[in-house]
């Protein structure tokens, strides 16, 4: 690498460091509240909310891996995992919504209970679809277990 290239790289890095400092300063001043105003303290999350947040994260992670396995099988011409793939695709969408809403922690109680009930149904359906493959594919087994745990957490939140 030429001396000129190294100098240019150093200038870019120094410029980025300066930009980072400026952005940090701007973010800090943006967080300050107007005189006399205090940001409200959020209510603590319940054990049920924490369980849903944790289980949805696990379910999403396992579901994406399972979906990839199903897709690989279908691409290879093996249609035995088509129902599993459809169930995982639908579950991922609903569990993603549940993860978002639970994480925001500001939904009306009736709405979050309704969504949790729906999420549990989609997770149960996905677990059923993964069941025939769980003994042969670690990805399906992990997805099934994560879905069952998520369904349980959602049912407890909805109760």
């Amino acid at each position: 690498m030429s001396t000129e290239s190294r100098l240019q790289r150093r200038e870019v890095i120094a410029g980025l460091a300066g930009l980072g400092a400026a952005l940090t300063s701007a973010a800090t001043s943006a967080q300050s509240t107007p005189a006399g105003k205090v940001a409200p303290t959020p209510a603590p999350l319940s054990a049920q909310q924490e369980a849903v947040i944790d289980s949805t994260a696990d379910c999403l992670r396992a579901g994406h891996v399972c979906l990839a396995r199903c897709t690989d099988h279908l691409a290879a011409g093996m249609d035995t995992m088509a129902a599993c793939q459809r169930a995982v695709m639908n579950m991922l969408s609903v569990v993603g919504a549940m993860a978002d809403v639970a994480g925001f922690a500001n939904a009306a109680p009736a709405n979050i209970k309704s969504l949790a009930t729906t999420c549990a149904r989609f997770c149960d359906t996905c677990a059923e679809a993964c069941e025939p493959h769980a003994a042969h594919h670690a990805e399906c087994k992990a997805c099934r277990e994560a879905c069952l745990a998520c369904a349980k957490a959602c049912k407890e939140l909805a109760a």
Side-chain angles (χ1 to χ4, degrees):
M1 181 180 292
S2 71
T3 305
E4 185 177 316
S5 294
R6 279 187 237 148
L7 289 174
Q8 287 175 341
R9 206 168 91 196
R10 286 184 187 152
E11 289 172 0
V12 169
I13 292 170
L16 289 174
L19 177 61
L23 290 174
T24 301
S25 174
T28 302
S29 62
Q31 290 175 354
S32 61
T33 58
K37 304 269 181 165
V38 176
T41 302
L45 296 175
S46 68
Q48 291 86 5
Q49 288 170 306
E50 291 280 354
V52 166
I53 290 169
D54 291 342
S55 67
T56 53
D58 293 341
C59 198
L60 288 169
R61 186 173 31 258
H64 280 104
V65 173
C66 184
L67 180 61
R69 177 69 163 182
C70 292
T71 302
D72 288 346
H73 272 69
L74 292 170
M78 297 182 273
D79 64 354
T80 57
M81 295 181 77
C84 189
Q85 184 189 43
R86 285 190 291 274
V88 174
M89 289 170 61
N90 290 311
M91 174 277 294
L92 286 170
S93 294
V94 176
V95 170
M98 184 75 241
D100 287 346
V101 171
F104 296 148
N106 62 6
N111 290 344
I112 199 163
K113 286 182 179 197
S114 178
L115 182 56
T117 299
T118 299
C119 186
R121 286 188 194 129
F122 275 85
C123 285
D124 284 337
T125 299
C126 187
E128 289 171 19
C130 286
E131 175 64 31
H133 313 289
H136 309 290
H137 303 291
E139 300 88 349
C140 289
K141 180 180 179 187
C143 184
R144 180 179 181 278
E145 290 172 0
C147 280
L148 291 173
C150 188
K152 180 181 181 216
C154 286
K155 288 172 187 174
E156 289 174 1
L157 181 62

